[in-house]
Amino acid sequence: MTPRDDQHYLSEFERFLASKGLRLTVQRRRLTEVVMNTREHLSVDELLDRVRQQKLPIGRATVYRTVDLLCQAGLMHGHDFGQGMRRYESVFGHEHHDHMRCTGCGRIIEFQCEEIERLQEDVARKHRFTLQAHRLEMFGLCSSCTKLNPRRTK
Amino acid sequence: MTPRDDQHYLSEFERFLASKGLRLTVQRRRLTEVVMNTREHLSVDELLDRVRQQKLPIGRATVYRTVDLLCQAGLMHGHDFGQGMRRYESVFGHEHHDHMRCTGCGRIIEFQCEEIERLQEDVARKHRFTLQAHRLEMFGLCSSCTKLNPRRTK
DNA sequence: GTCGCTGCAAATACTTTGCATCCAC
DNA sequence: GTGGATGCAAAGTATTTGCAGCGAC
């Protein structure tokens, strides 16, 4: 991801904020940059750490509030991987995708499947449901862990 | 669901408990019955209420602990619908299915799609991932809420 | 009778909120 | 200068844990 992309996301966020009479502060800017510059799925604590590592003082409450705004702006998505806290990832830099989580090592693998997406729309239509979003998570053992646990295959 | 089914689930749970040197108590038995006799997705608080309505004194901690055991036994599944707490449902009485949650009224619609399941297995195989479980949740507006919010369709 | 189970209360974990001060616009 | 933003601490909500007494086996 290039710096140019940052600019793009930042101005998109700024536009969103302006449209609601809100402001782009240093903390909001820096958080946006952190989110946009990684493909990892970060928790609030991890976001907090990364911003602080850059010597920018920031409070936990601000992270929660900003993360919320970024999601509202559609620039970020929250996920619950059943670990007790939510994790967040940028919607940019990679297209829509879903996740597989290894129950052995915790590794998260992303994947895309056009056909599954299409079928979801079919299902929704069949129920006259207006689809806004979806979340598909698969749990199991990644290739390395499968080798280590030949018996745990269900 | 018939009483006969209860027996089946109960003895399955009992077998599970026995295999771990654990006991089938009144509280565990009653909770199992409550879970097995509804198709709703109940929260811990709701489970607590239902057992208490039956005049059986029970503590919240016991519900948490039992729910955990029932999940381990594979008799129940937990779901996170992004409402701040987990909800649980029996695995019996209805086959595997996924969920659509209406962001308008909170209604939960269940659906099944063989083809999506099959595609998931394909994806897993492609990544040499040993699939153990999955969770597909779709969010949007149900048919009634779609009528009320013609503009909120994304 | 033993050892697991229960309920309470306390502890923990994550997230939200109130408020005085601060700063983007 | 004004009104939104920040950070702290307190509050809120969901869940887990320690422990003394209880009860299934």
Side-chain angles (χ1 to χ4, degrees):
Chain A
M1 194 165 304
T2 70
R4 233 191 110 267
D5 289 316
D6 276 25
Q7 293 310 314
H8 173 71
Y9 310 143
L10 270 172
S11 53
E12 182 132 344
F13 191 34
E14 193 164 15
R15 219 174 308 141
F16 168 84
L17 291 172
S19 77
K20 303 209 162 232
L22 306 179
R23 292 159 188 177
L24 183 58
T25 61
V26 202
Q27 286 83 353
R28 288 180 180 172
R29 182 194 311 274
R30 201 64 70 80
L31 259 170
T32 307
E33 287 165 359
V34 167
V35 170
M36 296 307 165
N37 279 295
T38 182
R39 292 185 59 140
E40 290 172 80
H41 302 75
L42 302 175
S43 64
V44 165
D45 266 28
E46 287 163 351
L47 286 168
L48 192 67
D49 285 350
R50 301 216 176 177
V51 173
R52 284 180 174 165
Q53 268 168 31
Q54 296 179 20
K55 311 289 181 218
L56 177 64
I58 187 171
R60 174 171 271 98
T62 300
V63 177
Y64 275 104
R65 287 185 280 230
T66 305
V67 142
D68 195 39
L69 288 168
L70 282 164
C71 286
Q72 280 179 46
L75 298 175
M76 199 163 110
H77 282 327
H79 291 282
D80 189 315
F81 293 107
Q83 300 172 300
M85 80 306 221
R86 247 167 287 164
R87 291 187 165 277
Y88 300 88
E89 70 175 338
S90 154
V91 295
F92 291 111
H94 47 318
E95 310 66 33
H96 168 77
H97 60 271
D98 293 298
H99 300 106
M100 287 188 263
R101 185 161 74 85
C102 178
T103 54
C105 63
R107 190 176 151 210
I108 292 172
I109 301 160
E110 300 176 352
F111 70 90
Q112 286 177 263
C113 181
E114 284 298 335
E115 211 172 337
I116 291 182
E117 310 280 308
R118 196 177 48 67
L119 285 168
Q120 286 181 29
E121 282 160 27
D122 288 352
V123 170
R125 205 171 306 122
K126 210 172 296 169
H127 288 80
R128 301 185 206 213
F129 192 84
T130 306
L131 199 52
Q132 293 172 332
H134 77 266
R135 175 170 66 188
L136 170 58
E137 270 140 32
M138 296 175 14
F139 301 90
L141 296 174
C142 69
S143 51
S144 331
C145 290
T146 296
K147 281 178 209 146
L148 299 174
N149 299 275
R151 297 160 38 68
R152 277 193 62 194
T153 65
K154 175 182 151 187
Chain B
M1 192 167 307
T2 69
R4 234 190 111 267
D5 289 315
D6 275 27
Q7 293 310 317
H8 174 71
Y9 309 144
L10 271 173
S11 54
E12 183 132 344
F13 190 34
E14 194 165 15
R15 219 174 307 141
F16 169 83
L17 291 172
S19 77
K20 303 210 162 230
L22 306 178
R23 293 161 187 174
L24 182 57
T25 61
V26 201
Q27 286 84 354
R28 288 181 180 170
R29 182 195 310 273
R30 201 65 70 79
L31 259 170
T32 307
E33 288 166 358
V34 166
V35 169
M36 294 309 164
N37 278 297
T38 182
R39 293 185 57 140
E40 291 173 79
H41 302 76
L42 301 175
S43 64
V44 164
D45 266 27
E46 288 162 351
L47 287 169
L48 193 66
D49 286 350
R50 300 214 177 178
V51 174
R52 285 180 174 167
Q53 269 168 30
Q54 297 179 19
K55 311 290 182 218
L56 176 65
I58 188 171
R60 174 172 270 97
T62 300
V63 177
Y64 275 105
R65 288 185 278 229
T66 304
V67 142
D68 196 38
L69 288 169
L70 282 163
C71 286
Q72 279 179 46
L75 298 176
M76 200 164 110
H77 282 328
H79 291 283
D80 189 314
F81 294 108
Q83 299 171 301
M85 81 309 222
R86 250 167 285 161
R87 290 186 166 278
Y88 300 88
E89 70 174 338
S90 155
V91 296
F92 290 111
H94 47 317
E95 309 67 30
H96 168 77
H97 59 269
D98 292 300
H99 300 107
M100 287 189 263
R101 185 164 73 86
C102 177
T103 55
C105 62
R107 189 177 151 210
I108 292 173
I109 300 160
E110 299 179 353
F111 70 90
Q112 284 178 265
C113 181
E114 283 299 333
E115 210 171 338
I116 291 182
E117 309 280 309
R118 197 176 49 69
L119 286 167
Q120 287 181 29
E121 282 161 26
D122 287 353
V123 170
R125 205 171 304 123
K126 210 172 292 168
H127 288 80
R128 298 185 209 212
F129 193 85
T130 306
L131 199 52
Q132 293 171 331
H134 77 267
R135 178 169 62 188
L136 170 57
E137 270 139 32
M138 298 175 14
F139 301 90
L141 296 175
C142 69
S143 51
S144 331
C145 290
T146 296
K147 281 179 208 145
L148 299 173
N149 299 275
R151 298 159 37 67
R152 281 191 64 193
T153 66
K154 174 179 151 192

